[in-house]
Amino acid sequence: METASCSILHTLAFSSNTATATINNNHHLFLPPKTNPSFSSTFPRNFNFHGKPLQFNGFTAFSSPSSAQSQNPPQELAVLLEVDGVIMDAYRLGNRQAFNLAFQKLGLDCANWTEPVYSDLVRRSAGNEEKMLVLYFNRIGWPTSLPTSEKEPFVKSVLREKKNALEELMLKSLPLRPGVEDFIDDACNKGIPMIILTAYSRSGEKTARSIVEKLGDERLSKIKVVGNEEVEKSLYGQLVFGKGMSSSLDEQLAKEARKAASAEKQRIAEEVASLLKVSVNIDTSSSERLEKIVASLLAGAEIAEVPVYNCILVAGSKSGLAAAEQIGMPRVALRSSFTSRAEFPTANAIMDGFGGADLTISKLCQKRWS
């Protein structure tokens, strides 16, 4: 993929803190730093856009684009976009409608989620959809004909119908976010690699790809989509997940250590719980999800052929921002209708949308870092 020149980031030499894995003698894979680099060495805090002030952590204003060009050598740049909340604002509109359609399909006439109800459930469950359903039916009552032992299969059946309804909504009625097509076109016209990440979409990869297809064939021919298959085929994916290549001994030992630690935490928790006569279950899915997101981001940088520190993630999720921070990738949070009041402490900058006074490729390219 072609790379573009933008006066956006300082030239950074890989130091001893960055590991380089040599594969088949002719490929090099840039791995994330062993210790998280300081912000000044990857994406300096002095980050602002002309026209509309950003909410940021320690960012300050900067000089004009012309002085930026004269003080900093051109740098390659790539942009990575999440799907949920970035390409399409489906958190409130699509998801809520899909749940209500699922309730109707299953004959649950008493179940209907208004926006306040949906928002409250998301907040209380941290977005876990199974927990949302359990909280809701614990509140209004489960179907009278449903045995207690059948609650879990019932929840899964609702989620299955909800997924089908969401896919149909994505394809037929829900629009893309305003300005996102112009944003992508501008990047492509400037020769900036544009990567869209579907591998860790909460809507599921199939649904995420259906959303991306709304961009049109011509646009799709100019961008790269990174899904599960692309992650597994990437050099980093092969190294870490062992798909077609044995991972290093250190990596294998680290994985086993994480598994052992999780098992020990569960054992101790169960012993304490038995004394208190309660039940517990340690959830390790969040760390596994973070690992998957990290792999997706690194695969995106690899496919773009741009170093991680010269890629910018535009994210709608806190998990994506956290993963990007872990590997030193610059990151911009894009608010959606559902996250309009949310705080993003791990974001380098927060924007409300695309175009105009909000996020544009030109503004990214014109910045000077100090």
Side-chain angles (χ1 to χ4, degrees):
M1 177 179 287
E2 295 181 358
T3 56
S5 295
C6 286
S7 57
I8 183 167
L9 302 169
H10 284 307
T11 302
L12 300 177
F14 276 94
S15 66
S16 58
N17 289 332
T18 304
T20 303
T22 304
I23 301 175
N24 295 336
N25 297 324
N26 59 356
H27 292 289
H28 289 82
L29 170 64
F30 294 116
L31 300 179
K34 294 179 181 178
T35 57
N36 289 338
S38 65
F39 183 77
S40 61
S41 67
T42 55
F43 197 47
R45 295 276 184 181
N46 298 9
F47 184 43
N48 199 357
F49 287 127
H50 294 303
K52 180 178 180 179
L54 286 175
Q55 298 186 32
F56 49 77
N57 302 322
F59 288 56
T60 58
F62 44 79
S63 61
S64 66
S66 58
S67 65
Q69 294 286 354
S70 63
Q71 293 186 30
N72 293 281
Q75 298 297 314
E76 57 189 354
L77 167 70
V79 178
L80 281 63
L81 298 182
E82 289 188 348
V83 176
D84 298 331
V86 177
I87 302 294
M88 179 178 285
D89 186 357
Y91 283 109
R92 177 167 293 174
L93 299 176
N95 249 22
R96 185 178 66 85
Q97 290 181 34
F99 270 113
N100 286 335
L101 289 171
F103 295 148
Q104 294 174 18
K105 181 75 177 291
L106 294 171
L108 303 171
D109 298 331
C110 61
N112 181 66
W113 287 359
T114 61
E115 286 197 15
V117 168
Y118 178 77
S119 297
D120 180 62
L121 290 171
V122 171
R123 178 183 57 81
R124 293 175 60 194
S125 66
N128 184 305
E129 294 185 343
E130 287 192 23
K131 291 181 180 178
M132 289 169 64
L133 288 167
V134 171
L135 286 169
Y136 180 70
F137 285 106
N138 280 344
R139 181 191 304 173
I140 71 165
W142 295 79
T144 55
S145 60
L146 185 71
T148 302
S149 60
E150 294 296 317
K151 286 184 178 180
E152 185 175 345
F154 168 76
V155 167
K156 291 188 181 301
S157 69
V158 174
L159 291 177
R160 185 165 53 251
E161 290 297 337
K162 174 258 174 183
K163 182 180 179 181
N164 294 335
L166 182 60
E167 289 177 3
E168 189 173 350
L169 283 171
M170 298 295 189
L171 289 172
K172 292 183 178 179
S173 59
L174 295 182
L176 300 177
R177 282 196 71 153
V180 67
E181 292 165 299
D182 291 338
F183 181 81
I184 292 173
D185 290 342
D186 197 15
C188 294
N189 291 337
K190 286 181 169 64
I192 297 172
M194 178 63 63
I195 308 294
I196 297 183
L197 306 165
T198 63
Y200 62 90
S201 171
R202 285 196 176 275
S203 301
E205 184 176 4
K206 181 180 178 181
T207 300
R209 284 187 177 269
S210 296
I211 296 172
V212 174
E213 288 174 1
K214 287 195 167 195
L215 292 169
D217 292 340
E218 182 178 355
R219 218 170 262 115
L220 287 173
S221 68
K222 300 176 183 178
I223 65 179
K224 296 293 184 182
V225 178
V226 175
N228 291 321
E229 183 178 354
E230 288 77 14
V231 172
E232 290 179 0
K233 288 182 177 179
S234 70
L235 298 182
Y236 181 82
Q238 293 181 62
L239 184 67
V240 173
F241 299 117
K243 300 291 185 179
M245 181 185 302
S246 60
S247 57
S248 66
L249 178 60
D250 287 345
E251 191 65 38
Q252 292 178 25
L253 291 173
K255 277 189 173 183
E256 292 304 317
R258 288 194 294 270
K259 290 180 181 178
S262 296
E264 182 63 11
K265 286 180 182 179
Q266 179 68 33
R267 185 189 67 78
I268 294 173
E270 287 175 350
E271 287 183 359
V272 174
S274 65
L275 296 175
L276 300 175
K277 297 183 179 180
V278 297
S279 62
V280 298
N281 184 42
I282 302 289
D283 182 11
T284 60
S285 60
S286 59
S287 61
E288 294 172 356
R289 175 171 168 76
L290 187 65
E291 182 179 277
K292 180 176 182 178
I293 297 174
V294 166
S296 300
L297 298 179
L298 291 172
E302 178 186 318
I303 290 171
E305 300 180 4
V306 173
V308 168
Y309 54 78
N310 275 2
C311 295
I312 296 180
L313 172 68
V314 180
S317 68
K318 290 185 177 181
S319 54
L321 295 169
E325 181 186 37
Q326 182 173 309
I327 61 175
M329 179 180 288
R331 53 219 170 265
V332 176
L334 197 69
R335 283 187 166 138
S336 64
S337 61
F338 181 68
T339 60
S340 59
R341 297 183 181 180
E343 295 183 359
F344 296 94
T346 59
N348 301 141
I350 303 172
M351 298 298 285
D352 293 324
F354 293 104
D358 287 301
L359 187 61
T360 65
I361 292 296
S362 295
K363 289 172 184 175
L364 289 178
C365 291
Q366 290 171 358
K367 299 312 104 189
R368 176 178 65 83
W369 317 112
S370 61

